[in-house]
């Protein structure tokens, strides 16, 4: 606040005032210089006769007015404000309670990674749409517990949601009436805003009289929006061991597997009892934007709480007025007479506009939903055909369109139905009937289409029309039933198209690993950008990088969704094998099912880590995002390992150990100058001892898993009778048995060395860890060579010799600093090549 009581809202533009002051000095100097030059050229006695020159006071006044106008405009740019006033801004929104089923049936993995985790992820995304609404959270199973009361604080609700699980309620089972009754109590007395209960469950209910509870909710003015997760055909329920990650199937008291099924009929009845809506999410992708637009955005908003704020009144109009007055006065002083009438009128008009009082805040805009219906009609519906006269009654047009639909002309019928619907804005019954029949026409088009893609597009169009019909008449059962049938058909057709387009599972996993590696690189770049601006305000730096964080979070979300789809594909393939009769299932099929089980375990873990990385990116925490992204990449690699044969897996782990050795060497090189006093080589921000330790731990687990597989294979090979090769060029069983027996202990040795390196990194013994990793790399390389033929053995020896030469000749600081540590490894490698 200045001494005059003026507050400058944009003080960063004060340089404009300084710039104009410089211009003013230049203008004054030039004016004085011009006046002096004229005096030197013409005497004062002749100036009056020869030069039409305004009076000195006019010239000085005009110059002063010009300078005043400039300073006034510069001051207006600084956004001056004078005076304060209080403006009431009450919070307007709806009251929404979310009831989340946390019973054990929600642990079924027909919706990857499980129904419960999938539902929690959808709720997190839904909260982004409920900005000004009061939202609460209830977890229920056999009992219901309020995890978060009605609150506008979405951060607290997210914390409560993250901790929700079967442990959140004291009793198992599923009782929907408990959740509905607790929600009715949690809403309290009715207020001006509309209230809704979002019920997320698989629909299983253990005789809890849920319909009676729904009727009580309807009497309290609460709408139920039921979202059903799961497969109506039923899915087994698995519980994951938090330590080993193994999935154990839940069985009943008789030892039979427990299967959980989506009970859509009950959820539909609950929604209809409260004039709400039922959304069958199934096991596919849930369209949150459509659910929000169709069922939540239309809720009546009321004043939930009273809020206000103090604002300052804008005063820039005064400075603009001063500038215009000064400019007009300066023009009037030119030549001693005012300009002609036209110019004077324009200047006076500008003065009136400039001095008019500006409106406070933004101009009033029409309501957000104003005109949406008309816009949809105009944008998506073609104009009436020329063949039909414009004065045809809409009901007659509707009847003609129905006749065309019955005659098997769905395209022409759809055009007529659109015309009838558009021309009857005041006939609700006709608009509903036309909307419903447009859905039927789209279904008929889907049946007639030969191309699956076109048929799928028609089914989606039909679903849109049936949704609109449900919105027009929520109490009608036919459009709801047809919507479910159409969505189920669309899902089946989409799955078939996806199976046709998708390649083999191995290639899909390899592609996902590369995408996650790229995502990890983006997180590392953000971490480096933040670390590279040390000394600056951290909040300012993070705010500046907000678009990059948002973009990376969006990419991670897309990758997580693709990983979900890949997990569903793995589940489908595995269940297809398990549904085969045992006398038909081959040993290869049994092995494939076991491999897919392992793929699913680690893929689910990777999906969870991806979600954590995305959350940290949204919170602008680059280091945590990088750590969780690296963990997701490690789990993806373990998932891919399940589909490799042991020999190919050794090749991969040799390369992975080499990468780990390079990172540890770079870490050692950056630590060494601290003792020698030399300048430390630049170390990437993501290259920390703890990060390398986590990489070593993940690699240790992978090598240990391979050691177990090789040990089992070696035992089985030792128990198998020797046999000659089946055909020329086929692997020699005896040689393979010998290679397995020789390689298994070497891989065990490598796993032990990596475990030792992990512990040494944890104890900050980087040099010892480097040596242990070197031993692990040599052991894996030795195991790898047992499976080589002569040609490949020579190629590997040549590659090793090239690396030895590069190591001896390179001048790279990171390598030169640790050349002594690499020397023993290079010497041993040289001896091996000589052999």
């Amino acid at each position: 606040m200045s001494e005059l009581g003026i507050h400058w809202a944009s003080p960063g533009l004060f340089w404009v005032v300084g710039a104009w002051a410089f211009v003013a000095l230049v203008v004054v100097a030039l004016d004085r210089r011009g006046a002096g030059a004229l005096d030197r050229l013409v005497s004062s006695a002749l100036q009056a006769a020869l030069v039409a020159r305004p009076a000195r006071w006019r010239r000085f006044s005009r110059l002063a007015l010009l300078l005043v106008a400039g300073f006034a405009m510069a001051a207006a740019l600084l956004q001056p404000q004078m005076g304060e006033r209080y403006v009431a801004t009450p919070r307007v929104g709806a009251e929404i309670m979310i009831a989340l089923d946390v019973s054990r049936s929600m642990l079924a993995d027909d919706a990857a990674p499980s129904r419960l985790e999938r539902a929690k992820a959808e709720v997190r995304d839904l909260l982004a749409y409920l900005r000004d609404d009061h939202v609460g959270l209830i977890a229920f199973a056999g009992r219901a517990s309020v995890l978060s009361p009605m609150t506008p604080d979405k951060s607290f609700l997210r914390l409560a949601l993250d901790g929700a699980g079967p442990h959140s309620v004291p009793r198992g089972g599923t009782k929907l009436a408990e959740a509905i009754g607790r929600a009715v109590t949690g809403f309290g007395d009715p207020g001006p805003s509309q209230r809704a209960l979002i019920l997320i469950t698989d629909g299983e209910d253990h005789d809890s009289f849920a319909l009676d509870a729904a009727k009580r909710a309807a009497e309290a003015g609460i709408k139920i929006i039921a979202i059903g997760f799961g497969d109506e055909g039923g899915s087994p329920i698995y519980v994951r061991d938090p330590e080993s990650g193994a999935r154990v199937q839940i069985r009943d008291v008789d030892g039979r597997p427990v299967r959980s099924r989506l009970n859509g009929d009950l959820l539909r009845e609950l929604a209809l009892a409260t004039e709400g809506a039922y959304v069958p999410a199934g096991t596919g992708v849930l369209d949150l934007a459509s659910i929000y637009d169709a069922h939540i955005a239309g809720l009546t908003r009321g004043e939930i709480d009273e809020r206000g704020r103090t604002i300052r009144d804008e005063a820039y109009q005064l400075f603009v007025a001063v500038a215009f007055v000064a400019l007009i006065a300066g023009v009037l002083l030119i030549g001693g007479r005012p300009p002609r009438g036209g110019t004077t009128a324009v200047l006076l008009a500008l003065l009136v506009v400039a001095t008019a009082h500006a409106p406070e805040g933004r101009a009033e805009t029409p309501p957000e939903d104003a005109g949406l219906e008309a816009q949809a009609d105009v944008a998506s519906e073609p104009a009436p055909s020329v063949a039909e006269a414009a004065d045809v009654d809409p009901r007659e047009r509707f009847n003609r369109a129905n006749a065309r639909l019955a005659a098997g002309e769905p395209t022409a019928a759809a055009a007529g139905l659109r015309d009838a619907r558009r021309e009857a804005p005041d006939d609700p019954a006709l608009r509903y009937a036309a909307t419903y029949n447009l859905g039927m026409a789209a279904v008929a088009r889907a049946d007639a289409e030969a191309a699956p893609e076109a048929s799928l597009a028609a089914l989606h169009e039909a679903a849109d029309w049936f949704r609109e019909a449900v919105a027009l008449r929520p109490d009608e059962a036919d459009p709801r039933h047809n919507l479910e049938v159409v969505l189920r058909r669309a899902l089946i057709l989409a799955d078939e198209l996806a199976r046709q387009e998708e390649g083999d599972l191995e290639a899909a996993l390899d592609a996902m690993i590369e995408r996650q590696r790229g995502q990890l690189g983006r997180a590392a770049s953000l971490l480096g950008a933040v670390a590279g601006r040390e000394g600056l305000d951290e909040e300012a730096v993070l705010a500046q990088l907000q678009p990059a964080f948002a973009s990376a979070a969006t990419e991670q979300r897309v990758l997580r969704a693709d990983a979900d789809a890949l997990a569903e594909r793995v589940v489908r393939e595995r269940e297809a094998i398990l549904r085969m009769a045992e006398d038909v299932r081959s040993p290869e099929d049994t092995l494939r099912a076991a491999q897919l089980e392992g793929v699913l375990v680690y893929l689910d873990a990777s999906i969870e880590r991806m979600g954590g990385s995305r959350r940290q990116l949204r919170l602008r925490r680059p280091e945590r995002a990088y750590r969780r992204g690296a963990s997701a990449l490690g789990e993806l690699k373990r998932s891919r390992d399940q589909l490799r044969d042991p020999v190919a897996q050794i090749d991969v782990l040799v390369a992975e150990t080499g990468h780990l050795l390079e990172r540890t060497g770079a870490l050692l090189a950056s630590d060494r100058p601290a003792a020698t006093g030399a300048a430390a080589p630049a170390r990437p921000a993501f290259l920390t001892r703890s990060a390398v330790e986590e990489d070593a731990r993940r690699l240790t687990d992978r090598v240990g898993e391979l050691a177990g597989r090789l040990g089992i294979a070696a035992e089985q090979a030792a128990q198998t009778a020797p046999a000659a090769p089946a055909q020329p060029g086929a692997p020699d069983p005896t040689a393979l048995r010998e290679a397995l027996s020789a390689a298994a202990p070497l891989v065990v040795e490598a796993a032990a060395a990596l475990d030792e390196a992990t512990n040494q990194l944890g104890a900050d013994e980087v040099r010892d860890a480097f040596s242990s990793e070197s031993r692990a790399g040599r052991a894996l390389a030795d195991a790898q060579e047992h499976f080589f033929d002569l040609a490949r053995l020579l190629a590997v020896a040549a590659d090793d010799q090239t690396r030895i030469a590069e190591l001896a000749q390179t001048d790279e600081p990171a390598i030169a600093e640790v050349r002594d540590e690499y020397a023993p490894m290079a010497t041993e490698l040289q001896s091996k090549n000589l052999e």
Side-chain angles (χ1 to χ4, degrees), residues 546-673:
Q546 172 62 26
F549 277 103
S551 176
T554 301
E555 291 294 330
Q556 187 67 82
R557 178 181 182 182
V558 172
L559 183 55
R560 185 183 184 276
D562 293 343
D564 280 332
L566 186 60
E568 293 175 4
R569 175 185 169 186
V570 174
V571 170
R572 289 196 303 269
E573 183 178 350
R574 176 176 171 273
E575 289 184 348
I577 296 175
L578 295 180
R579 282 194 295 265
M580 297 170 61
E582 293 186 2
D583 55 346
V584 178
R585 192 186 310 167
S586 65
E588 290 78 11
D589 292 332
T590 303
L591 176 61
R592 179 70 173 180
Q595 289 176 330
L596 293 175
E597 175 70 16
V599 169
L600 193 59
V601 169
Y602 297 116
L603 187 55
D604 288 348
S606 177
I607 292 171
E608 181 181 354
R609 305 296 193 280
M610 290 180 189
S613 178
R614 173 177 173 256
R615 285 193 296 273
Q616 298 303 324
L617 286 170
R618 295 177 63 183
L619 294 173
R620 292 178 294 180
R621 297 172 179 171
E623 183 176 1
R624 296 184 182 181
Y626 176 82
R627 299 279 286 273
R628 285 162 176 76
S631 180
L633 179 61
E635 296 297 337
L636 277 176
K637 290 178 179 178
R638 293 195 71 177
S639 180
R640 178 65 177 89
D641 290 346
Q642 309 305 308
L643 301 178
R644 292 192 177 99
D645 63 80
V647 178
Q649 181 62 15
I650 292 178
D651 297 344
V652 173
L653 292 179
V654 168
E656 294 283 350
T657 305
H659 295 326
L660 177 64
L661 199 60
E662 291 176 1
R663 290 163 64 87
T664 307
L667 191 65
L668 185 60
S670 62
D671 290 340
R672 168 173 288 191

Side-chain angles (χ1 to χ4, degrees), residues 35 50 54 103 135 162 232 304 349 401 412 478 481 697 726 760 769 771 775:
L50 298 177
S103 62
V135 186
D162 291 339
E232 291 187 349
I304 297 177
D478 289 343
H481 174 74
R697 181 176 292 107
Q760 289 166 342
S771 300
R775 294 201 314 273

